Amino acid sequence: LFRSTIEKHPESPVALQNTDAYDTMSPAVSGLQSLLQGRVENYKTAIENAKEAGDTSRGRRYERGLKTLETMLSAVRKGRTINEAEIPPPVATGKSPACVLQQ
């Protein structure tokens, strides 16, 4: 019965529910995911630089923010909604881009 309904009416709600929703991610979700991925990289760089500078308290604070970002990124990948106001802000990495390029 189920199969015949889909074959007769491919545009029916039952047929549409069976399409793979994860293959077609909306631009807003992919933009949010790329924002979170960028922040994760930003925080990882800042953590490394804080550890190199011996700034342990800053490094721990960045690690808490990184954990939040990774949790949010996981939720977005699973299709869940997140509160964008709770996304940790970008942080100063501790090195200028010119210093990074010279290494």
Side-chain angles (χ1 to χ4, degrees), residues 32 35-36 39 68-69 72 82-89:
L32 183 59
L35 171 78
L36 291 171
R39 291 274 167 90
T68 301
L69 286 166
M72 289 179 158
I82 62 167
N83 184 352
E84 292 184 39
E86 294 179 1
I87 297 175

Side-chain angles (χ1 to χ4, degrees), residues 3-100:
R3 178 175 272 160
S4 64
T5 303
I6 293 174
E7 291 170 357
K8 291 178 185 176
H9 306 285
E11 70 283 348
S12 72
V14 174
L16 294 176
Q17 287 176 354
N18 291 324
T19 60
D20 195 7
Y22 295 106
D23 288 344
T24 57
M25 197 179 292
S26 72
V29 172
S30 64
L32 183 59
Q33 184 173 345
S34 64
L35 171 78
L36 291 171
Q37 288 172 334
R39 291 274 167 90
V40 165
E41 293 304 316
N42 178 250
Y43 271 71
K44 285 180 179 180
T45 303
I47 290 167
E48 288 177 18
N49 293 336
K51 286 181 181 179
E52 287 177 10
D55 197 350
T56 57
S57 62
R58 183 172 292 172
R60 284 192 308 271
R61 186 172 71 239
Y62 292 161
E63 285 172 351
R64 288 190 301 270
L66 178 61
K67 184 177 179 183
T68 301
L69 286 166
E70 288 173 338
T71 302
M72 289 179 158
L73 184 57
S74 175
V76 168
R77 285 181 177 155
K78 292 177 183 176
R80 298 183 188 139
T81 58
I82 62 167
N83 184 352
E84 292 184 39
E86 294 179 1
I87 297 175
V91 294
T93 58
K95 290 186 179 180
S96 67
C99 293
V100 175

